Amino acid sequence: MTDDIDEARDWLGNEVDCAGCAHLPLNAAGGCRLKHACVNDRYARRIDRFFNWNPGFADAYLAHPHFEVRAIAAKFANVFLLPPLLGDADETVRWNAVRRLPKRYALQLRGDPHREVRMRVATLLDGEELVQMAADADYYVRLVVARRIAPLLLGRMIDDEEAEVRRVVARRIPDEWLLGMINDRDASVRLEVAQRLSPELLALLRRDPDWRIRYEVASRAAVLELAGLVEDQDGLVREVARSRVAVRPERETGTSA
């Protein structure tokens, strides 16, 4: 197996020279290989391969000046040496450290300055641990939270400024909270609500400005609530409403003796 890049340069751009490397004996024993498995190479795949072959060297590289080396070393190093890396200047290092540590360490990074770290930290937490992140400044972090937090804790996210987050909320909140979202400013959110409402409550949306929601009403609401929809401006809504209203009990059309 070979790498695509046919050069070997360190993180400063200098050509890698095996002759001056501290791991020259390792190289002679087949423990590393230029352009393939080398801790001095700036190419992350080669650094990773070096530590995969020689995980025992990882501890010594947790303070290396190149972030790629620190980040990859964190995947293999002694877990007891990782807590200091939670304050590393690079987000990749912080994430590779916290993902291997007990969950309590992840709580320290809920306010990490980098959105990617916060997104990933949110995947490690649940329940009350996620509540703080429900108000994160980044909508995608909040989206991860909305997908993972307990439904009973979603009330604080019903009015989230991002429609995509509110759509997830509408799918997961308890049934009894759905009425609180029927007037959401985004039609796609109201549609999520409509698809979950009971036929009895669904009629509350029969005058919704979005045809998709009125179609949902025409399809599932009680027939007695469909009078206004048989003349709806949308053809599909009219069709389904009329088809349901047209199904009458035989006694309404019976002949007299």
Side-chain angles (χ1 to χ4, degrees):
M1 180 177 178
T2 59
D3 291 309
D4 298 329
I5 299 176
D6 190 25
E7 65 173 5
R9 295 188 178 277
D10 64 21
W11 67 286
L12 295 174
N14 302 312
E15 190 171 350
V16 175
D17 181 9
C18 292
C21 178
H23 297 302
L24 187 59
L26 187 66
N27 178 268
C32 59
R33 189 192 315 161
L34 190 67
K35 300 182 183 180
H36 186 72
C38 178
V39 72
N40 295 313
D41 201 300
R42 64 185 178 186
Y43 193 25
R45 185 184 300 175
R46 296 171 183 175
I47 300 170
D48 188 87
R49 192 174 289 125
F50 175 86
F51 286 123
N52 190 52
W53 289 6
N54 309 283
F57 285 102
D59 292 358
Y61 283 93
L62 294 177
H64 193 277
H66 184 34
F67 80 93
E68 288 275 24
V69 174
R70 298 195 308 277
I72 297 171
K75 295 164 56 179
F76 297 90
N78 185 325
V79 71
F80 293 104
L81 299 178
L82 298 181
L85 295 184
L86 299 185
D88 193 275
D90 185 84
E91 66 273 9
T92 312
V93 178
R94 298 194 299 273
W95 166 242
N96 277 344
V98 78
R99 68 194 298 192
R100 296 187 56 212
L101 288 166
K103 188 189 294 186
R104 68 179 183 275
Y105 287 95
L107 300 177
Q108 300 177 31
L109 298 187
R110 288 181 297 184
D112 192 274
H114 201 283
R115 70 187 292 264
E116 293 290 336
V117 174
R118 300 197 308 278
M119 281 165 44
R120 292 172 175 176
V121 164
T123 68
L124 301 177
L125 304 176
D126 48 44
E128 292 286 349
E129 299 166 338
L130 275 173
V131 171
Q132 176 182 310
M133 303 186 78
D136 193 274
D138 187 273
Y139 94 90
Y140 200 84
V141 175
R142 300 196 307 275
L143 189 60
V144 175
V145 173
R147 289 169 175 163
R148 291 184 52 79
I149 201 168
L152 288 175
L153 296 175
L154 279 170
R156 68 194 63 222
M157 303 188 79
I158 284 177
D159 296 317
D160 191 277
E161 63 183 32
E162 179 61 44
E164 189 173 356
V165 174
R166 299 198 306 277
R167 281 199 296 274
V168 173
V169 173
R171 293 184 200 123
R172 301 191 63 234
I173 58 173
D175 291 347
E176 56 269 28
W177 295 359
L178 287 171
L179 289 181
M181 300 187 76
I182 64 172
N183 294 315
D184 191 276
R185 59 190 178 276
D186 189 278
S188 65
V189 177
R190 299 196 304 276
L191 181 58
E192 295 286 352
V193 172
Q195 290 171 341
R196 289 189 57 197
L197 284 174
S198 66
E200 294 75 23
L201 295 176
L202 190 54
L204 294 172
L205 290 169
R206 63 184 178 276
R207 294 186 180 89
D208 192 278
D210 191 281
W211 74 269
R212 296 171 300 172
I213 296 166
R214 299 196 306 278
Y215 183 88
E216 186 72 19
V217 175
S219 300
R220 294 198 300 112
V223 172
L224 293 177
E225 302 288 350
L226 302 185
L229 296 178
V230 295
E231 300 298 335
D232 193 88
Q233 62 184 358
D234 183 88
L236 289 175
V237 176
R238 288 198 307 274
E239 181 181 354
V240 70
R242 290 176 179 180
S243 68
R244 294 188 63 212
V245 170
V247 179
R248 300 291 187 180
E250 286 188 9
R251 65 177 179 272
E252 293 184 16
T253 58
T255 59
S256 59

